[in-house]
Amino acid sequence: MDHFVEDENFFPGIQRPTEGNRTPEKEPGFHITPDRREWFRHVLARTEAAGLTAFAGDGQATVQYLTKRQGSRHFTGFAHAATGSVQDAREQLLGIQFVGTDHVFRLNRTRVEAFSGVAEDLFRHLEGGRVERYRREVYARRDAWPLDTWDSRWRGPVSVNPDGSVLAMRVLTS
């Protein structure tokens, strides 16, 4: 999973088995045949890694996981602060250190801060292109993530997902 995945061009269509000497029309959809399963598994793992690094606001870490067709060019070059998020925030939530990005916005005239990120140690694996190590460690923690949904130090709700990502929100009083 740690190496780049090549773009492949598979034409859509599910081929049903032949009936006698007649080959039926292809059905709409995609069929991942046994010879393509490893490639597809690779694509899914790297796409998940891209989603997590983008969620944490790190376009540079994201681009390494996407093929050209998946939009890697959208994460390269100049990014204006208003059009993207930047992995520039660290928060300790429910006793876990996370890295990610935060945004302040108004919700019914109330100022709210939202933080999105990934557990820092897991993120460092993704940032370094170590998808296999990330997958092993996140799997080992599958039953260890906190079940709490409120962090009194953060003063707001926190949602930690099994993939190591977090979303936390709080009302800003000043």
Side-chain angles (χ1 to χ4, degrees):
M1 301 300 139
D2 294 346
H3 63 278
F4 185 76
V5 65
E6 294 293 327
D7 269 328
E8 296 285 344
N9 190 20
F10 301 123
F11 292 99
I14 299 171
Q15 185 63 59
R16 292 184 294 153
T18 58
E19 299 168 355
N21 60 355
R22 183 180 161 272
T23 301
E25 293 281 322
K26 284 189 174 185
E27 297 288 332
F30 286 90
H31 178 212
I32 306 301
T33 56
D35 60 313
R36 297 178 179 163
R37 285 185 187 147
E38 186 58 32
W39 173 84
F40 191 62
R41 180 177 166 266
H42 194 165
V43 169
L44 289 179
R46 293 183 66 84
T47 303
E48 178 187 16
L52 287 169
T53 55
F55 186 68
D58 193 332
Q60 208 170 2
T62 302
V63 73
Q64 68 182 315
Y65 294 115
L66 298 176
T67 66
K68 185 176 180 181
R69 186 178 290 158
Q70 289 174 317
S72 62
R73 69 183 174 277
H74 296 295
F75 291 93
T76 57
F78 176 76
H80 189 275
T83 62
S85 59
V86 178
Q87 188 255 310
D88 61 354
R90 298 178 79 223
E91 291 290 341
Q92 186 168 13
L93 301 164
L94 303 174
I96 303 168
Q97 189 66 48
F98 291 93
V99 295
T101 188
D102 57 353
H103 297 277
V104 175
F105 56 94
R106 292 192 185 278
L107 185 62
N108 295 331
R109 292 184 293 248
T110 303
R111 287 185 40 172
V112 176
E113 179 181 13
F115 173 82
S116 62
V118 176
E120 184 169 17
D121 60 328
L122 295 174
F123 180 81
R124 296 300 171 219
H125 294 317
L126 295 172
E127 181 181 50
R130 297 181 300 275
V131 178
E132 280 294 337
R133 184 146 182 214
Y134 159 80
R135 289 168 58 103
R136 278 193 311 272
E137 289 189 23
V138 80
Y139 182 76
R141 295 184 198 181
R142 68 190 179 281
D143 296 325
W145 295 109
L147 299 176
D148 295 339
T149 58
W150 187 269
D151 187 309
S152 57
R153 195 178 124 277
W154 168 259
R155 298 180 327 275
V158 176
S159 175
V160 179
N161 294 303
D163 62 4
S165 64
V166 67
L167 178 62
M169 296 183 76
R170 66 180 167 189
V171 173
L172 295 176
T173 56
S174 56

